[in-house]
Amino acid sequence: MNMPFFKLGKTRLPHRKSTAHSRAVRMTPPAEVLIPLSQHIGAPAVPIVKVGESVKVGQKIAEAAGYVSSPIYASVSGTVAKIEPYLTSAGRTVDAIRITSDGAMTPAEGITPPVVSDFDAFSAAVRESGLVGLGGAGFPTQVKLDAVKKGLIDTVIINAAECEPYITSDTHTMLFESGYVFRGMKLLMSYVPAKEFLIGIEKNKPDAIAKMEEIFSSEEKVRVVPLPDTYPQGGEKILIYNTTGRIVPEGKLPADVGALVINITSLAFLAKYFETGMPLVEKCVTVDGSAVKDPKNVIVPVGAKIGDVIDFAGGTSKPVGKILLGGPMMGVAVCSPLEPVMKTTNAITVFDTRDAKLPESTACIHCGRCVDNCPMHLNPTLYARAMNVEDAADRAARLEEAKINLCIECGSCSYVCPAKRPLVATNRLAKSDLREYKAHLDTLK
């Protein structure tokens, strides 16, 4: 029997979507923003403003630095206070632009909707919008569109799974900005000659499913696909399989199986941009977690301090133990509430001291739960064993044989482990170790 190399995604999580029906409120202008110039996969943007210069909302402040890169725009009006180094959560230091806000949120002059008449102009406009994947790693959207020009795409998949606990920013888009979703889809259909446009939504969002089915009822090419309400349905390869039955092979991209995946909030943003010309300068962010006093969805300027967003949302009701950018499964813990909201931030999850306490891990009991729940059908215990091997070549060979690079770091293995072992953290270290070893080999050639 030929089985897919990954499963449907079967981990059961508590949903905790307390803000699912909360219309987002717009944050008051913060006193300042810090805008890192690397908010996407690829080369950091290059600053084109100087300290002391006045800027306005939507004004370009950093230019894309290469093919895989994205421009960045001012999210507030005010004055450039500093261009300073910023240490990212990935441990890389990049430039960041600090802007002191004047509180006026004055839009930049000359912002007008892009005029497009063909695919090349459409793709160029998407690049100028500053759009990167708003539901994942921040892959520049224009780069994804190149597969369309090459004639590789027959199916567009809109990712509306939103499978992590707490997060409801995409649900907000579907329920309260469905008009933009519809117009974004029509725009995409005008320039992407796909046979099918699929919207994947977890079954635990019946209102969102009903809304999408309602607005697209007259569109024959558009189909809403209810997904199992198990984690991680939003993983790109899992989403592609569960909507189309196609398997993305190891080392390949969605385009290699004819698929283009776009987040649903990205789709709505495209409609806004093509109607107004305002580039990506703000995000809808879910503020929730056990320490949050009044969970809500907030429209936040990119670069606003996390602490300012939490305070605007009503603050906390319990001592704070940990703050995550993102959800509890794949979110990144921050070391300070002074950290900025990024283009890719869809949630700020704040845990109290009890929930933030890491469980004490014990020895592996070889129960197999991590293997059984891995959506990519991997064996995380093999990576932990490999990392204890001293010889670098042997360690690398073991990691490659066990296909460490197929790990999507969803956290399912750690979540189900009865021994509370930090499996996903080990997997990340293993991937990094393998990359360093290969880079070392390249220097010897």
Side-chain angles (χ1 to χ4, degrees), residues 34 55 73 102 125 153 162 169 179 209 280 320 330 344 376:
L34 180 67
V55 295
Y73 298 85
D102 60 14
I153 304 302
E162 201 164 50
S169 50
I209 291 174
L280 183 58
V320 175
M330 297 187 72
T344 53
M376 306 304 288

Side-chain angles (χ1 to χ4, degrees), residues 58-111:
Q59 177 180 334
K60 186 184 291 186
I61 58 175
E63 185 63 84
Y67 171 64
V68 184
S69 189
S70 181
I72 291 176
Y73 298 85
S75 60
V76 298
S77 56
T79 305
V80 176
K82 290 181 181 179
I83 299 177
E84 59 191 271
Y86 170 73
L87 183 64
T88 70
S89 60
R92 184 172 57 155
T93 300
V94 298
D95 283 338
I97 298 175
R98 190 178 296 274
I99 302 173
T100 301
S101 173
D102 60 14
M105 299 297 284
T106 306
E109 294 86 358
I111 289 182

